Amino acid sequence: MLTAVINIWLELAPWLLIGAAAAGLLHILVPQGWMQRHLSGPMGVLKAVIIGVPLPLCSCGVIPVGLGLRKSGASQGAAVGFLISTPQTGIDSVLISASFLGWPFAILKVAVALVTGFTGGLLTDLTSAHDNGSGGAEQDVVANHRSEPWKEFLHHSGMLIQSIRGWLIIGVLVSAAITWLIPEQSLASIPALTGLSALLITMVISLPLYVCATASVPIAAALVAGGLPTGAALVFLMAGPATNVATLGAIFRTLGLRSMLVYLSTIVAGSLVAGLAFNQLLVVNVTHLHAHDHLTGWWRILSAVVLAGLIAWSAYQDATRWFRRRSMQSAPFGGAVTVKVTGMTCNGCAAKLERSLEATSNVQSAAVSFERGEAIVHGTASPEDIRHAVNNAGFQTVEQ
């Protein structure tokens, strides 16, 4: 079991770090607000899907981004296309898929994400013909603060790793357990786990789950090594990250029942059709999950150590912030101002906002809670100055 964990971590670490770095570059190179201004009509749907495919966002991050596009003026089709394609892929997920399942699988998975996202977006616009894409469009109120791009690059890359660290660890442990407990190709002898029935069983299991696209790749690879067909791995990697109760509920509340049904049916039908095609086209060899001779390169070991260090550091920061927030709430000092904040997608966002607030003049200390969507600020800074600092950090305040 320990050997399997080490092998999977060594295989995954370098590609995840490369993907995080690429995500940081995308963040500083793509102008803020560009997406909202170009996403309406069929070409808007296509642009939304093309933009979404390389973005390393799981369901926890893609919901506020995708629905934020709609709020900022994108059409419903563009928002749904983005929500379908983005959680299936991501630069980090593609690189890790190529490492575990091969480049043909990774490339075809990207193609499936493009096709299903575009199809779902067009169907959404067709079933919402009355929608002209205005959607209560708002002007961007947050400036593009990137005077120090390298700091922003490092922060965004680190925030990606921080946002998926829990699911990453779970994914590695589960895939190692499958590799350890299930002999190679043993599942292929079970009739219910072959052909279309394997795809349907995988679909039923995947739909309600929350599973991160990156962390789910080792699990899918372990299942294929155990004898599950290649198409079942694709279904798991499509339906798992793209559908769960939270995502469906958010789409229903924001975009309506029709859009939610189009979203769900596109993923179900698209993954099943693509899974059947993958069974015919691809034979994936994942024996490297059990082997470890070629995983001892210094760069893999260094990447594994760096990734483990980053995860440990982010966990330490979260624990420190949690204890400090508890102490501030139980024994407040000075004047305390509480503001509601939107735009945070993970605890990394909360840490960024906390640092920005504490760098603000007349702020003695700050505690930001991602879960409650609020910031508690102590000091003599005025509420207006605090709101301005929140906006400058890239988030928005909500009037209470």
Side-chain angles (χ1 to χ4, degrees), residues 75-346:
S75 68
Q76 288 200 179
V80 169
F82 183 89
L83 289 167
I84 290 174
S85 61
T86 305
Q88 297 180 45
T89 52
I91 292 176
D92 53 339
S93 175
V94 171
L95 291 174
I96 293 171
S97 296
S99 176
F100 280 89
L101 297 164
W103 276 107
F105 184 97
I107 293 171
L108 287 174
K109 185 164 82 88
V110 170
V112 170
L114 286 167
V115 172
T116 53
F118 185 59
T119 302
L122 290 182
L123 289 174
T124 299
D125 277 345
L126 286 175
T127 57
S128 306
H130 61 281
D131 174 35
N132 59 13
S134 60
E138 299 174 355
Q139 296 297 321
D140 292 336
V141 295
V142 181
N144 191 2
H145 295 280
R146 290 177 183 166
S147 57
E148 297 178 291
W150 283 108
K151 286 186 178 181
E152 190 71 16
F153 162 78
L154 292 173
H155 167 73
H156 191 79
S157 300
M159 191 170 66
L160 166 67
I161 295 173
Q162 182 180 26
S163 67
I164 67 171
R165 69 163 189 256
W167 293 108
L168 186 65
I169 293 170
I170 291 172
V172 169
L173 292 176
V174 170
S175 59
I178 293 171
T179 302
W180 182 52
L181 294 172
I182 300 177
E184 286 189 44
Q185 298 304 312
S186 61
L187 297 178
S189 61
I190 303 175
L193 297 181
T194 59
L196 179 61
S197 60
L199 306 188
L200 292 172
I201 292 172
T202 305
M203 173 67 67
V204 171
I205 294 172
S206 301
L207 282 177
L209 293 179
Y210 174 85
V211 58
C212 172
T214 301
S216 62
V217 173
I219 300 175
L223 291 172
V224 172
L228 222 59
T230 306
L234 177 70
V235 171
F236 181 73
L237 293 175
M238 284 183 66
T243 63
N244 56 67
V245 175
T247 303
L248 296 176
I251 294 173
F252 172 72
R253 289 191 302 271
T254 308
L255 302 180
L257 178 61
R258 288 184 182 180
S259 294
M260 188 201 73
L261 292 176
V262 170
Y263 174 88
L264 183 59
S265 60
T266 300
I267 293 172
V268 170
S271 61
L272 289 176
V273 171
L276 291 172
F278 270 44
N279 283 344
Q280 301 299 319
L281 295 173
L282 288 177
V283 176
V284 174
N285 182 4
V286 291
T287 55
H288 65 271
L289 283 173
H290 301 272
H292 57 272
D293 305 1
H294 65 297
L295 298 180
T296 56
W298 66 268
W299 67 283
R300 292 182 184 272
I301 295 174
L302 178 62
S303 298
V305 172
V306 169
L307 180 60
L310 290 173
I311 289 175
W313 175 247
S314 70
Y316 168 77
Q317 286 183 313
D318 281 352
T320 301
R321 289 177 53 251
W322 185 83
F323 281 111
R324 187 175 61 164
R325 188 167 63 243
R326 288 292 299 270
S327 64
M328 288 176 63
Q329 289 172 339
S330 60
F333 52 89
V337 176
T338 300
V339 294
K340 290 294 183 181
V341 180
T342 62
M344 296 189 293
T345 59
C346 64

